[in-house]
């Protein structure tokens, strides 16, 4: 099994509902996003998938979050824009875009600070 990882980031504001603590107030984070893709078979050129393809798809998803107030987005209408749900949203969006018989998104991690992150995986 080959595993590829790319790292990207976005900045946004959020406010956690039904949460007692600092994150209940409106504030922002610079989220660092790690996207992991896996597969067994390489192309003839020795690549699983071009990093640029993963990066471009990730950029498209993150552009929808960057400099937004996440609570107002359709994607977080029914769920808190927590790092957990942000990771899940990115995972689902990228899986729809990139998964095929050779490559699958296996994990998305959202770092909301240098010392705290949440990951979403379905494997
Ligand atoms: Zn927060």
């Amino acid at each position: 099994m080959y595993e590829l990882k790319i790292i990207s980031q976005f900045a946004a504001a959020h406010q956690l509902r039904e949460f007692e603590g600092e994150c209940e107030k409106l504030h922002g984070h610079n989220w660092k996003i790690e996207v992991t893709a896996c597969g067994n078979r390489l192309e003839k050129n020795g690549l699983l998938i071009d990093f640029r393809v993963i990066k471009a798809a990730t950029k498209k998803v993150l552009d929808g979050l960057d400099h937004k107030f996440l609570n107002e987005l359709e994607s977080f209408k029914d769920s808190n824009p927590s790092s957990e749900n942000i990771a899940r949203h990115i995972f689902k969006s990228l899986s729809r875009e990139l998964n095929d018989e050779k490559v699958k998104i296996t994990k998305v991690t959202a770092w909301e600070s240098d010392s705290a992150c949440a990951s979403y995986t379905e494997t």
Side-chain angles (χ1 to χ4, degrees), residues 14 23 27 29:
H14 76 168
C23 270
H27 64 283
H29 294 277

Side-chain angles (χ1 to χ4, degrees), residues 39-81:
N40 284 317
R41 273 188 299 132
L42 300 184
E43 304 280 356
K44 280 202 192 78
N45 60 11
L47 303 184
L48 181 67
I49 180 175
D50 192 329
F51 282 117
R52 286 176 299 183
V53 174
I54 308 176
K55 284 181 180 172
T58 302
K59 182 178 187 312
K60 217 166 78 182
V61 176
L62 297 190
D63 279 351
L65 305 175
D66 195 33
H67 287 79
K68 300 273 165 50
F69 177 34
L70 300 179
N71 294 62
E72 289 177 342
L73 300 182
E74 187 63 27
S75 308
F76 300 107
K77 196 168 51 107
D78 302 316
S79 59
N80 250 340

Side-chain angles (χ1 to χ4, degrees), residues 95-114:
S95 296
R96 271 196 300 273
E97 181 81 14
L98 294 178
N99 283 11
D100 58 22
E101 66 282 356
K102 291 173 52 204
V103 181
K104 299 235 176 320
I105 298 298
T106 51
K107 190 175 182 181
V108 170
T109 299
W111 289 89
E112 67 171 47
S113 72
D114 287 342

Side-chain angles (χ1 to χ4, degrees), residues 14-17 19 21-27 29 112:
H14 76 168
Q15 186 173 26
L16 297 184
R17 299 167 280 237
F19 177 84
E22 285 300 302
C23 270
E24 199 176 2
K25 296 178 204 153
L26 175 63
H27 64 283
H29 294 277
E112 67 171 47

